[in-house]
């Protein structure tokens, strides 16, 4: 059974109001922005599923004590079936060290593409596996999908303007913009009005 993420982006109006009156409001359901099952990201952000690669930025904090009414209404009826509740502010996300290197070698082989400036840029994990199988000689699917357990760290397979490599993820690759940028874009825009600590992502998981 897989694990799915649910939640909302919330914001809080800080202008003209006393601290006690600064209520949080639901902005958008996370399902409108993200529908993936990226366990590396779940672990790096919230300590769910992949808990060994990175220290989680917001590990099982629970729901905020001042969560919006919409969040409470959505979470409450299903609370017995859910887990991993947490939240993180936009300020914390912007302050995170996205270049941090994982504690362990990634199971997945990394594909890099040659950039115009001559540097190698991460393209994906376990991407182009048909070509990687040809280069590596791996025929067993169990080994192909977990090549990081078969070959030593830093093993490489050059392939023209791309390169396959066994290695460790950076945090930014565990939470790739290709999947998470819609969330970050909404939070970034809201932060221009509400401030970095006036915007947060509240989440929980099932499965």
């Amino acid at each position: 059974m897989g694990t799915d993420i649910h939640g909302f982006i919330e914001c809080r109006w800080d202008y003209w109001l006393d601290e006690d009156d600064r209520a949080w409001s639901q902005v958008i359901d996370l399902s409108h922005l993200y529908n993936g099952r990226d366990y590396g990201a779940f672990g790096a952000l919230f300590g769910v599923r992949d808990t060994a690669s990175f220290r989680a930025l917001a590990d099982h904090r629970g729901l905020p004590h001042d969560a919006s009414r919409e969040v409470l209404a959505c979470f409450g009826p299903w609370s017995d079936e859910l887990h991993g509740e947490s939240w993180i502010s936009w300020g914390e996300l912007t302050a995170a060290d996205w270049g941090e290197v994982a504690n362990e070698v990634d199971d997945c082989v990394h594909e890099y593409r040659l950039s115009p400036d001559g540097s190698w840029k991460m393209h994906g994990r376990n991407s182009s596996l048909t070509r990687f199988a040809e280069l590596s000689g791996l025929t067993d699917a169990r080994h192909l999908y977990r090549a990081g357990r078969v070959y030593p760290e830093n093993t490489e397979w050059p392939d023209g303007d791309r390169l396959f490599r066994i290695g460790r993820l950076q945090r930014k690759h565990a939470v790739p913009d290709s999947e998470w940028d819609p969330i970050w874009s909404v939070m970034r825009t809201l932060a221009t009005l509400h401030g970095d600590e006036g915007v947060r992502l509240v989440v929980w998981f099932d499965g």
Side-chain angles (χ1 to χ4, degrees):
M1 181 177 181
T3 297
D4 294 308
I5 189 172
H6 308 274
F8 292 88
I9 293 174
E10 295 183 316
C11 69
R12 181 180 66 181
W13 283 102
D14 282 347
Y15 305 113
W16 315 301
L17 297 176
D18 294 331
E19 181 66 30
D20 292 342
D21 296 325
R22 295 174 183 176
W24 288 87
S25 299
Q26 173 262 343
V27 176
I28 188 169
D29 191 312
L30 183 60
S31 64
H32 296 307
L33 304 171
Y34 179 85
N35 63 357
R37 271 187 179 174
D38 191 335
Y39 296 156
F42 295 173
L45 291 170
F46 304 110
V48 172
R49 292 294 298 229
D50 180 358
T51 58
S53 297
F54 292 94
R55 172 191 58 82
L57 296 180
D59 189 4
H60 291 76
R61 291 176 168 177
L63 292 185
H65 72 278
D66 52 359
S68 65
R69 289 176 295 179
E70 295 90 348
V71 164
L72 295 176
C74 186
F75 177 82
W78 307 98
S79 59
D80 291 343
E81 302 175 25
L82 304 173
H83 63 96
E85 308 94 85
S86 196
W87 61 272
I88 190 168
S89 72
W90 178 243
E92 291 175 294
L93 287 165
T94 58
D97 179 6
W98 293 99
E100 180 183 353
V101 177
N103 299 317
E104 299 182 349
V105 175
D106 191 13
D107 284 356
C108 301
V109 65
H110 301 167
E111 180 183 352
Y112 293 82
R113 297 287 178 90
L114 191 62
S115 299
D117 64 4
S119 64
W120 291 104
K121 183 177 180 181
M122 179 82 159
H123 176 73
R125 303 167 63 214
N126 277 356
S127 52
S128 305
L129 282 181
T130 299
R131 180 55 179 160
F132 175 63
E134 295 172 352
L135 294 169
S136 66
L138 291 176
T139 56
D140 188 317
R142 294 170 298 177
H143 294 158
L144 185 63
Y145 280 89
R146 295 186 173 186
R149 298 189 182 185
V150 178
Y151 293 101
E153 185 176 3
N154 297 322
T155 304
E156 295 183 346
W157 296 264
D159 187 31
D161 61 356
R162 64 182 171 183
L163 174 75
F164 295 92
R165 178 187 293 158
I166 302 299
R168 302 176 189 233
L169 286 172
Q170 289 181 289
R171 190 182 288 273
K172 65 183 177 181
H173 296 142
V175 191
D177 282 343
S178 59
E179 296 183 17
W180 292 80
D181 191 58
I183 302 169
W184 306 154
S185 294
V186 171
M187 295 182 74
R188 185 184 302 112
T189 300
L190 290 168
T192 63
L193 294 174
H194 304 284
D196 287 354
E197 298 304 322
V199 180
R200 67 190 180 192
L201 175 62
V202 180
V203 301
W204 53 86
F205 299 82
D206 65 26

